[in-house]
Amino acid sequence: MRKLGLLALVALFSLIPVSAASAKAKPKVEAFAAKHHLTGSWKGKDADKDGLKNLKEFKLGTDPKKADSDKDGLRDGDELASGNNPLKADTDRDGVKDGKEHAGTITEFDGETITIREFATGKTVTATLDTECSPALGEDDDATADDSAFDDGSGDSVDEGEFFAQDEDEDLGEDDESCDDDDVLETGAVLQSAELEDGYLTAYVLA
Ligand SMILES: [Ca+2]
Ligand SMILES: [Ca+2]
Ligand SMILES: [Ca+2]
């Protein structure tokens, strides 16, 4: 009798963690939905229109009602598209917020015409590629051009009005006649910066 009683006790204890675990998993999703006032078939919807469905936001720990959970200027969906952490404002911890160093992404490129989507506005911009390289490329690292339309702080400068794309590899500047732009211009590539001025798009592509 005593032995049977012990077995029963062991069996009872071994059941507790299992039922506790399954009971816990469900309320977590439900608590998330309740906290953010998500009802009905909320899992497949994108309440804050940031490119991430609500269930994905639950899994990531981001806010389904805030497009930019960590307030760094990048929408949660764009954080993933650009390889950043949607819960850290400065993913690479270089002192510059993610939104400041990730301007957009290339959505289409056929060798001549390029389309980018700006993270900040969500808008797309299409431009014809000017394959000429800026004369400023390959010069000294110091940003010496006074009329530079763009300075990302890395020292490279770009002449105003010229469209080109360049990655961060300084070797690109060695040959001004033919920059290897095509190597970095591909669908899905992330832009470090993109500036549209007087009909010219100047962009830097992250390597
Ligand atoms: Ca969302
Ligand atoms: Ca969100
Ligand atoms: Ca971030």
Coordinates of all heavy atoms in Angstrom, one line a residue, residues 12-71:
L12 N 1.6 12.2 -9.9 CA 0.8 13.5 -9.7 C 1.8 14.7 -9.9 O 1.5 15.6 -10.6 CB 0.2 13.5 -8.3 CG -0.7 14.7 -8.0 CD1 -1.9 14.6 -8.9 CD2 -1.1 14.7 -6.6
F13 N 3.0 14.6 -9.4 CA 3.9 15.7 -9.5 C 4.4 15.9 -10.9 O 4.6 17.0 -11.4 CB 5.2 15.4 -8.6 CG 5.0 15.9 -7.2 CD1 5.0 15.1 -6.1 CD2 4.7 17.3 -7.0 CE1 4.8 15.6 -4.8 CE2 4.5 17.8 -5.7 CZ 4.6 16.9 -4.6
S14 N 4.6 14.7 -11.6 CA 5.1 14.8 -13.0 C 4.0 15.4 -13.9 O 4.4 15.9 -15.0 CB 5.5 13.4 -13.5 OG 4.4 12.7 -13.7
L15 N 2.8 15.4 -13.5 CA 1.8 16.0 -14.3 C 1.7 17.5 -14.2 O 1.3 18.2 -15.1 CB 0.4 15.4 -13.9 CG 0.0 14.0 -14.6 CD1 -1.3 13.6 -14.0 CD2 -0.1 14.2 -16.1
I16 N 2.1 18.0 -13.1 CA 1.9 19.4 -12.8 C 2.6 20.3 -13.8 O 2.0 21.2 -14.3 CB 2.3 19.7 -11.3 CG1 1.2 19.1 -10.4 CG2 2.4 21.2 -11.1 CD1 1.6 19.2 -8.9
P17 N 3.9 20.1 -14.0 CA 4.6 21.0 -14.9 C 4.0 21.0 -16.3 O 4.0 22.1 -16.9 CB 6.1 20.5 -14.9 CG 6.2 19.6 -13.7 CD 4.8 19.0 -13.5
V18 N 3.6 19.9 -16.8 CA 3.1 19.8 -18.1 C 1.8 20.6 -18.3 O 1.7 21.4 -19.2 CB 2.8 18.3 -18.5 CG1 2.1 18.2 -19.9 CG2 4.1 17.5 -18.5
S19 N 0.9 20.4 -17.4 CA -0.4 21.1 -17.5 C -0.1 22.6 -17.2 O -0.8 23.5 -17.8 CB -1.4 20.6 -16.5 OG -0.9 20.6 -15.2
A20 N 0.8 22.9 -16.3 CA 1.1 24.3 -16.0 C 1.7 25.0 -17.3 O 1.3 26.2 -17.6 CB 2.1 24.4 -14.9
A21 N 2.5 24.3 -18.0 CA 3.2 24.9 -19.2 C 2.1 25.2 -20.3 O 2.1 26.3 -20.9 CB 4.2 24.0 -19.7
S22 N 1.3 24.2 -20.5 CA 0.3 24.4 -21.6 C -0.7 25.5 -21.2 O -1.2 26.2 -22.1 CB -0.4 23.1 -22.0 OG -1.0 22.6 -20.8
A23 N -1.0 25.6 -19.9 CA -1.9 26.6 -19.5 C -1.3 28.0 -19.6 O -2.0 28.9 -19.8 CB -2.4 26.3 -18.1
K24 N 0.0 28.0 -19.5 CA 0.7 29.3 -19.5 C 0.8 29.9 -20.9 O 0.6 31.1 -21.1 CB 2.1 29.1 -18.9 CG 2.4 30.1 -17.8 CD 3.8 29.9 -17.3 CE 4.2 30.8 -16.2 NZ 5.5 30.6 -15.8
A25 N 1.1 29.0 -21.9 CA 1.4 29.5 -23.3 C 0.2 30.2 -23.9 O 0.4 31.2 -24.6 CB 1.7 28.3 -24.1
K26 N -1.0 29.8 -23.7 CA -2.1 30.4 -24.3 C -2.4 31.9 -23.8 O -2.5 32.8 -24.5 CB -3.3 29.5 -24.1 CG -4.3 29.7 -25.3 CD -5.5 28.7 -25.1 CE -6.5 29.0 -26.2 NZ -7.7 28.1 -26.0
P27 N -2.5 32.0 -22.5 CA -2.7 33.3 -21.9 C -1.7 34.4 -22.4 O -2.0 35.6 -22.4 CB -2.7 33.1 -20.4 CG -3.1 31.7 -20.2 CD -2.5 31.0 -21.4
K28 N -0.5 34.0 -22.7 CA 0.5 34.9 -23.1 C 0.1 35.7 -24.4 O 0.2 36.9 -24.5 CB 1.9 34.2 -23.4 CG 3.0 34.9 -22.8 CD 4.3 34.1 -23.0 CE 5.5 34.9 -22.7 NZ 6.7 34.1 -22.9
V29 N -0.4 34.9 -25.3 CA -0.9 35.5 -26.6 C -2.2 36.3 -26.3 O -2.3 37.5 -26.8 CB -1.2 34.4 -27.6 CG1 -1.7 35.1 -28.9 CG2 -0.1 33.6 -27.9
E30 N -3.0 35.8 -25.4 CA -4.2 36.4 -25.1 C -4.0 37.7 -24.3 O -4.6 38.7 -24.5 CB -5.2 35.5 -24.3 CG -5.8 34.4 -25.2 CD -6.5 33.3 -24.4 OE1 -6.5 33.4 -23.1 OE2 -7.0 32.4 -25.0
A31 N -3.0 37.7 -23.4 CA -2.6 38.9 -22.6 C -2.1 40.0 -23.6 O -2.4 41.1 -23.4 CB -1.6 38.5 -21.6
F32 N -1.3 39.5 -24.6 CA -0.8 40.5 -25.5 C -1.9 41.2 -26.3 O -2.0 42.4 -26.5 CB 0.1 39.7 -26.5 CG 0.7 40.5 -27.7 CD1 1.8 41.3 -27.5 CD2 0.1 40.5 -28.9 CE1 2.3 42.1 -28.6 CE2 0.6 41.2 -30.0 CZ 1.7 42.0 -29.8
A33 N -2.9 40.3 -26.7 CA -4.1 40.9 -27.5 C -4.9 41.8 -26.6 O -5.3 42.9 -27.0 CB -4.9 39.7 -28.0
A34 N -5.1 41.4 -25.3 CA -5.8 42.3 -24.4 C -5.1 43.6 -24.1 O -5.7 44.6 -24.2 CB -6.1 41.5 -23.1
K35 N -3.8 43.5 -23.9 CA -3.0 44.7 -23.6 C -3.1 45.7 -24.7 O -3.2 46.9 -24.5 CB -1.6 44.2 -23.3 CG -0.7 45.4 -23.0 CD 0.8 45.0 -22.9 CE 1.7 46.2 -22.7 NZ 3.1 45.8 -22.8
H36 N -3.1 45.2 -25.9 CA -3.1 46.1 -27.1 C -4.4 46.3 -27.8 O -4.5 46.8 -28.9 CB -2.0 45.6 -28.1 CG -0.6 45.6 -27.6 ND1 0.1 46.8 -27.3 CD2 0.2 44.6 -27.2 CE1 1.3 46.5 -26.8 NE2 1.4 45.2 -26.8
H37 N -5.5 45.8 -27.1 CA -6.8 45.9 -27.6 C -7.0 45.3 -29.0 O -7.6 46.0 -29.9 CB -7.3 47.4 -27.5 CG -7.0 48.0 -26.2 ND1 -7.8 47.7 -25.1 CD2 -6.1 49.0 -25.8 CE1 -7.4 48.5 -24.1 NE2 -6.3 49.2 -24.5
L38 N -6.5 44.1 -29.2 CA -6.6 43.5 -30.4 C -7.7 42.4 -30.3 O -7.7 41.6 -29.4 CB -5.3 42.8 -30.8 CG -4.1 43.7 -31.0 CD1 -2.8 42.9 -31.0 CD2 -4.2 44.5 -32.3
T39 N -8.7 42.5 -31.2 CA -9.8 41.5 -31.1 C -10.0 40.9 -32.5 O -9.4 41.3 -33.5 CB -11.1 42.3 -30.7 OG1 -11.3 43.4 -31.6 CG2 -11.0 42.8 -29.3
G40 N -10.9 39.9 -32.4 CA -11.3 39.1 -33.6 C -10.1 38.4 -34.2 O -9.2 37.8 -33.5
S41 N -10.0 38.5 -35.6 CA -8.9 37.8 -36.2 C -7.6 38.7 -36.3 O -7.2 39.1 -37.4 CB -9.3 37.3 -37.6 OG -9.8 38.4 -38.4
W42 N -7.2 39.1 -35.2 CA -6.1 40.1 -35.1 C -4.7 39.6 -35.6 O -3.9 40.4 -36.0 CB -6.0 40.7 -33.7 CG -5.7 39.6 -32.7 CD1 -6.5 38.8 -31.9 CD2 -4.3 39.2 -32.2 NE1 -5.8 38.0 -31.1 CE2 -4.5 38.2 -31.3 CE3 -3.0 39.6 -32.6 CZ2 -3.4 37.6 -30.6 CZ3 -2.0 39.0 -31.9 CH2 -2.2 38.0 -31.0
K43 N -4.5 38.3 -35.4 CA -3.1 37.8 -35.7 C -2.6 38.1 -37.1 O -1.4 38.3 -37.2 CB -3.1 36.3 -35.4 CG -3.3 35.9 -33.9 CD -3.3 34.4 -33.7 CE -3.5 34.1 -32.2 NZ -3.6 32.7 -32.0
G44 N -3.5 38.0 -38.1 CA -3.0 38.1 -39.5 C -3.1 39.6 -39.9 O -2.8 39.8 -41.1
K45 N -3.5 40.5 -39.1 CA -3.6 41.9 -39.5 C -2.4 42.7 -39.0 O -1.6 42.3 -38.2 CB -4.9 42.5 -38.9 CG -6.1 41.9 -39.5 CD -7.4 42.5 -38.9 CE -8.6 41.9 -39.5 NZ -9.8 42.1 -38.7
D46 N -2.2 43.8 -39.7 CA -1.1 44.7 -39.4 C -1.7 46.0 -38.9 O -1.9 47.0 -39.6 CB -0.3 44.9 -40.6 CG 0.9 45.9 -40.4 OD1 1.1 46.3 -39.2 OD2 1.6 46.2 -41.4
A47 N -2.0 46.1 -37.6 CA -2.7 47.2 -37.0 C -2.0 48.5 -37.2 O -2.7 49.6 -37.4 CB -2.9 46.9 -35.5
D48 N -0.7 48.6 -37.1 CA 0.0 49.9 -37.2 C 0.6 50.1 -38.5 O 1.4 51.1 -38.7 CB 1.1 50.0 -36.1 CG 2.0 48.8 -36.1 OD1 2.0 48.0 -37.0 OD2 2.8 48.7 -35.1
K49 N 0.3 49.2 -39.5 CA 0.8 49.4 -40.9 C 2.3 49.6 -41.0 O 2.8 50.4 -41.7 CB 0.1 50.6 -41.5 CG -1.4 50.5 -41.5 CD -1.9 49.8 -42.8 CE -3.4 49.9 -42.9 NZ -4.2 49.1 -41.9
D50 N 3.1 48.8 -40.2 CA 4.5 48.9 -40.2 C 5.2 47.8 -41.0 O 6.4 47.6 -41.0 CB 5.1 49.0 -38.8 CG 4.8 47.7 -38.0 OD1 4.1 46.8 -38.5 OD2 5.3 47.6 -36.8
G51 N 4.3 47.0 -41.6 CA 4.9 45.9 -42.4 C 5.0 44.6 -41.7 O 5.4 43.6 -42.2
L52 N 4.6 44.6 -40.4 CA 4.7 43.4 -39.6 C 3.3 43.0 -39.1 O 2.6 43.9 -38.5 CB 5.6 43.5 -38.4 CG 7.1 43.8 -38.6 CD1 7.8 43.8 -37.3 CD2 7.7 42.7 -39.5
K53 N 2.9 41.8 -39.3 CA 1.6 41.4 -38.8 C 1.6 41.3 -37.3 O 2.7 41.1 -36.7 CB 1.2 40.0 -39.4 CG 0.9 40.2 -40.9 CD 0.3 39.0 -41.6 CE -0.1 39.3 -43.0 NZ 0.0 38.2 -43.9
N54 N 0.4 41.5 -36.7 CA 0.4 41.5 -35.2 C 1.0 40.3 -34.5 O 1.7 40.5 -33.5 CB -1.1 41.6 -34.8 CG -1.7 42.9 -35.3 OD1 -1.0 44.0 -35.4 ND2 -3.0 42.9 -35.6
L55 N 0.8 39.1 -35.1 CA 1.3 37.9 -34.5 C 2.9 38.0 -34.5 O 3.5 37.5 -33.6 CB 0.8 36.7 -35.1 CG 1.2 35.3 -34.5 CD1 0.6 35.3 -33.0 CD2 0.8 34.1 -35.3
K56 N 3.4 38.5 -35.6 CA 4.9 38.6 -35.7 C 5.4 39.6 -34.6 O 6.4 39.4 -34.0 CB 5.2 39.1 -37.1 CG 6.7 39.3 -37.4 CD 7.3 38.0 -37.7 CE 8.8 38.2 -38.1 NZ 9.5 36.9 -38.3
E57 N 4.6 40.7 -34.4 CA 5.0 41.6 -33.4 C 5.0 41.0 -32.0 O 5.8 41.3 -31.2 CB 4.0 42.8 -33.5 CG 4.0 43.5 -34.8 CD 4.3 45.0 -34.8 OE1 5.1 45.4 -33.9 OE2 3.8 45.7 -35.7
F58 N 4.0 40.1 -31.8 CA 3.9 39.4 -30.5 C 5.2 38.6 -30.4 O 5.8 38.6 -29.3 CB 2.7 38.5 -30.5 CG 2.8 37.4 -29.5 CD1 2.6 37.7 -28.1 CD2 3.0 36.1 -29.8 CE1 2.7 36.8 -27.1 CE2 3.0 35.1 -28.8 CZ 2.9 35.4 -27.5
K59 N 5.6 37.9 -31.4 CA 6.8 37.0 -31.3 C 8.1 37.8 -31.1 O 9.0 37.4 -30.5 CB 6.9 36.2 -32.6 CG 5.9 35.0 -32.6 CD 5.9 34.3 -34.0 CE 4.8 33.2 -34.0 NZ 4.6 32.6 -35.3
L60 N 8.1 39.0 -31.8 CA 9.3 39.8 -31.7 C 9.4 40.7 -30.4 O 10.4 41.1 -30.0 CB 9.4 40.8 -32.9 CG 9.7 40.2 -34.2 CD1 9.4 41.3 -35.3 CD2 11.1 39.7 -34.3
G61 N 8.2 40.9 -29.8 CA 8.1 41.7 -28.6 C 8.0 43.2 -28.9 O 8.2 44.0 -28.1
T62 N 7.6 43.5 -30.2 CA 7.4 44.9 -30.6 C 6.0 45.3 -30.3 O 5.1 44.4 -30.0 CB 7.7 45.0 -32.1 OG1 7.1 44.0 -32.8 CG2 9.2 44.9 -32.3
D63 N 5.7 46.5 -30.5 CA 4.4 47.1 -30.2 C 3.5 47.0 -31.5 O 3.8 47.7 -32.4 CB 4.5 48.5 -29.7 CG 3.2 49.0 -29.1 OD1 2.1 48.7 -29.6 OD2 3.3 49.8 -28.1
P64 N 2.4 46.3 -31.4 CA 1.6 46.1 -32.6 C 0.8 47.4 -32.9 O 0.2 47.5 -34.0 CB 0.6 45.0 -32.2 CG 0.5 45.1 -30.7 CD 1.8 45.5 -30.3
K65 N 0.8 48.4 -32.0 CA 0.1 49.6 -32.3 C 1.0 50.8 -32.5 O 0.6 51.9 -32.6 CB -0.9 49.9 -31.1 CG -2.0 48.9 -30.9 CD -3.1 49.2 -32.0 CE -4.3 48.3 -31.9 NZ -5.3 48.6 -30.9
K66 N 2.3 50.5 -32.5 CA 3.3 51.6 -32.8 C 4.1 51.1 -34.0 O 4.8 50.1 -33.9 CB 4.2 51.8 -31.6 CG 3.5 52.7 -30.5 CD 4.5 53.0 -29.4 CE 3.8 53.7 -28.3 NZ 4.5 53.6 -27.0
A67 N 4.2 51.9 -35.0 CA 4.9 51.5 -36.2 C 6.4 51.5 -35.9 O 7.2 50.7 -36.5 CB 4.6 52.5 -37.4
D68 N 6.8 52.3 -35.0 CA 8.3 52.4 -34.7 C 8.5 52.2 -33.2 O 8.5 53.1 -32.4 CB 8.8 53.8 -35.1 CG 10.3 54.0 -34.9 OD1 10.9 53.0 -34.5 OD2 10.8 55.1 -35.1
S69 N 8.5 50.9 -32.8 CA 8.6 50.6 -31.4 C 9.7 51.2 -30.6 O 9.5 51.6 -29.5 CB 8.6 49.0 -31.3 OG 7.5 48.4 -31.7
D70 N 10.9 51.3 -31.2 CA 12.0 51.8 -30.5 C 12.3 53.3 -30.8 O 13.3 53.8 -30.4 CB 13.3 51.0 -30.7 CG 13.7 50.9 -32.2 OD1 13.0 51.6 -33.0 OD2 14.6 50.1 -32.5
K71 N 11.4 53.9 -31.5 CA 11.5 55.4 -31.8 C 12.9 55.8 -32.4 O 13.4 56.8 -32.0 CB 11.2 56.2 -30.6 CG 9.8 55.9 -30.0 CD 9.6 56.8 -28.8 CE 8.2 56.5 -28.2 NZ 8.3 56.4 -26.7

